[in-house]
Amino acid sequence: MLRARRRGATTTTTATATATATATNDLRVRIRRGDQSGGEMVCYRAPRRAHQTVLDVVTWIQRNVEPGLSYRFSCRVGMCGSCAMMVNGMPRWTCRTHVKDVLRGARAELELAPLRNLPVIKDLVCDMSDFFGKWQRAEGRFHGAAGRHDPVARIAPHDPRRAAADAGIECINCAVCHAACDVVASHPGYLGPAALNRAWTLMNDARDTAQPQRLRAVSADGGCQNCHSQQGCARYCPLQLAPARSIAGIKKTVARAVLAGRL
């Protein structure tokens, strides 16, 4: 859900919030405001409460101080990933991030910005088009030969390829790993950890029929060889997946294909 309500003139002052929050028990929140043409950090104050999440704080500011503040959220319980943003310089799901765990310094300060490495639409909302476009470039779509009337394929749970696919298949496309990746930051054409992780799950799917074109896609410019194995994707993944491990598997597969003369 994209939050962007307006009730008359908006303000970037902290007067309304300060009237509610006490001087000794409040949060200083700096939020990046603006669109693709530019922006600035604007300071707000919000009440500090027990067990509150960063998403709670953003929602309070939007409802009580700045109705024009734009951000995304949906489930609020750590299932959809749409509330992801930069929290004190780190990509996080804000619905799962408790304020007490990320406060900066003695001043109880939060700094919020849209996810890194993605174009900004407005305030904390990013354009995800390029992110999903890279999934397409990595051949992240299943291609099968069976029809709806064919028998269901039987793949044993202990099959090594099934296990490799299972290790990365729970990705929900939140783009936290994309924001954490320094290679994406320096090389915007890089497919990124999420797209390559998806490609790896399909490379291990015995039912898929598009392996030759997928192999070419992940080994082309911007593909797996750009990964520096810095593990930022694994460090910040809220689901504790390891895209870098998937990319390492792709590198080995590409190397074997080259030696076999298939690339």
Side-chain angles (χ1 to χ4, degrees), residues 1 17 21 69 110 123 133 140 152 155 158 179 194 203 207 220-221:
M1 183 186 301
L69 176 62
L110 288 175
D123 299 339
V152 175
I155 303 176
H158 58 269
M203 290 169 72
R207 304 166 301 165
D221 183 45

Side-chain angles (χ1 to χ4, degrees), residues 81-211:
S82 60
C83 67
M85 62 185 76
M86 303 300 291
V87 179
N88 288 350
M90 295 181 287
R92 294 177 178 272
W93 288 356
T94 53
C95 70
R96 275 193 180 185
T97 302
H98 286 84
V99 171
K100 63 181 176 60
D101 295 330
V102 293
L103 286 181
R104 175 181 289 173
R107 294 186 299 172
E109 180 176 288
L110 288 175
E111 183 174 291
L112 307 179
L115 285 177
R116 192 173 69 135
N117 300 333
L118 291 167
V120 176
I121 297 176
K122 182 175 182 288
D123 299 339
L124 301 171
V125 180
C126 293
D127 185 347
M128 302 286 284
S129 300
D130 184 58
F131 175 76
F132 288 110
K134 290 180 176 180
W135 273 55
Q136 294 295 324
R137 285 172 47 202
E139 288 291 341
R141 180 171 64 91
F142 175 77
H143 298 265
R148 67 175 61 190
H149 301 297
D150 294 317
V152 175
R154 296 180 178 272
I155 303 176
H158 58 269
D159 183 280
R161 294 180 65 189
R162 169 66 182 270
D166 283 349
I169 207 166
E170 296 299 327
C171 173
I172 62 170
N173 319 326
C174 68
V176 163
C177 64
H178 195 83
C181 182
D182 288 334
V183 179
V184 174
S186 61
H187 182 7
Y190 174 47
L191 291 173
L196 289 171
N197 178 76
R198 171 60 176 169
W200 177 242
T201 64
L202 291 171
M203 290 169 72
N204 285 282
D205 192 328
R207 304 166 301 165
D208 191 274
T209 60
Q211 300 302 346

